[in-house]
């Protein structure tokens, strides 16, 4: 019997190892794309952190609650911010002084609302200024002046929320 190690190999392993393959393999391409995607994602996170908005805008509903996101404010009202709108405000009655109603918005700002005989007050049905009490939820529609005072055209009481 002869020793199998003395026999020549059919396929010369050292010749195969010396042979160089040209081009890029599939695994290299896949790993390169994955690394590029991760770098792009992390870069986007840092850009958003540096230049993005600090807070999500909020919207106030007629009941005075805040909900994140956009959307439209109560009908007939233009959004400005802080519960105060271009054509009115939303909040809780702080107090009523004669023909002036003071409405506290969700962010704590008190908005002075001037009224006249033409101001319509609605409390599930039409009411009067004397029907408005502190703590009630209201929607005020009217024109905001440069000093922040709203000239009330309509004050609508909303049901209490709990």
């Amino acid at each position: 019997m002869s020793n199998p190690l003395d026999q020549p190999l059919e396929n010369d392993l050292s010749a195969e190892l010396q042979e160089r393959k040209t081009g890029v393999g599939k695994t290299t391409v896949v790993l390169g794309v994955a690394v590029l995607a991760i770098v792009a994602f992390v870069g986007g996170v840092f850009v958003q952190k540096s230049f993005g908005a600090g807070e999500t805008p909020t919207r106030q509903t007629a009941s005075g609650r805040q909900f994140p996101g956009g959307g439209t404010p109560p009908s007939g009202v233009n959004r400005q911010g802080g519960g105060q709108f271009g054509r009115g405000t939303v909040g809780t009655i702080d107090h009523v002084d004669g023909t002036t109603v003071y409405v506290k918005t969700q962010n704590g700002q008190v908005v002075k609302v001037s009224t006249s005989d033409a101001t319509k007050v609605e409390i599930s049905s039409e009411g009067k200024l004397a029907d408005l009490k502190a703590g009630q939820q209201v929607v005020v529609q009217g024109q905001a002046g440069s000093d922040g005072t709203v000239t009330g055209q309509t004050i609508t009481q909303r049901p209490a929320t709990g």
Side-chain angles (χ1 to χ4, degrees), residues 51-112:
F51 299 108
E55 286 185 24
T56 303
T58 58
R59 172 175 79 94
Q60 291 194 352
T61 64
S63 64
R65 293 185 198 161
Q66 283 189 333
F67 294 97
T72 55
S75 71
V77 181
N78 294 329
R79 180 180 176 152
Q80 263 185 348
Q84 185 172 340
F85 301 100
R87 294 188 55 205
T89 191
V90 177
T92 304
I93 295 175
D94 188 65
H95 65 281
V96 179
D97 184 15
T99 60
T100 304
V101 179
Y102 294 86
V103 177
K104 188 173 192 174
T105 63
Q106 184 70 24
N107 65 5
Q109 178 185 5
V110 176
V111 177
K112 178 180 174 182

Side-chain angles (χ1 to χ4, degrees), residues 2-152:
S2 69
N3 188 354
L5 296 176
D6 292 338
Q7 302 292 324
L9 295 174
E10 288 180 22
N11 296 329
D12 190 8
L13 186 59
S14 55
E16 281 189 42
L17 290 175
Q18 288 178 355
E19 186 180 308
R20 291 179 53 153
K21 291 186 178 182
T22 59
V24 179
K26 289 182 184 178
T27 305
T28 305
V29 171
V30 170
L31 288 174
V33 169
V35 167
L36 185 61
I38 291 170
V39 168
F41 176 77
V42 171
V45 168
F46 282 117
V47 168
Q48 175 65 27
K49 202 172 194 180
S50 298
F51 299 108
E55 286 185 24
T56 303
T58 58
R59 172 175 79 94
Q60 291 194 352
T61 64
S63 64
R65 293 185 198 161
Q66 283 189 333
F67 294 97
T72 55
S75 71
V77 181
N78 294 329
R79 180 180 176 152
Q80 263 185 348
Q84 185 172 340
F85 301 100
R87 294 188 55 205
T89 191
V90 177
T92 304
I93 295 175
D94 188 65
H95 65 281
V96 179
D97 184 15
T99 60
T100 304
V101 179
Y102 294 86
V103 177
K104 188 173 192 174
T105 63
Q106 184 70 24
N107 65 5
Q109 178 185 5
V110 176
V111 177
K112 178 180 174 182
V113 178
S114 62
T115 64
S116 67
D117 292 338
T119 302
K120 183 168 59 168
V121 177
E122 297 174 356
I123 305 174
S124 301
S125 62
E126 200 163 318
K128 299 186 183 321
L129 282 177
D131 297 327
L132 300 176
K133 303 293 180 214
Q136 295 173 326
Q137 298 287 317
V138 294
V139 175
V140 177
Q141 292 180 332
Q143 189 61 42
S146 59
D147 64 349
T149 299
V150 175
T151 301

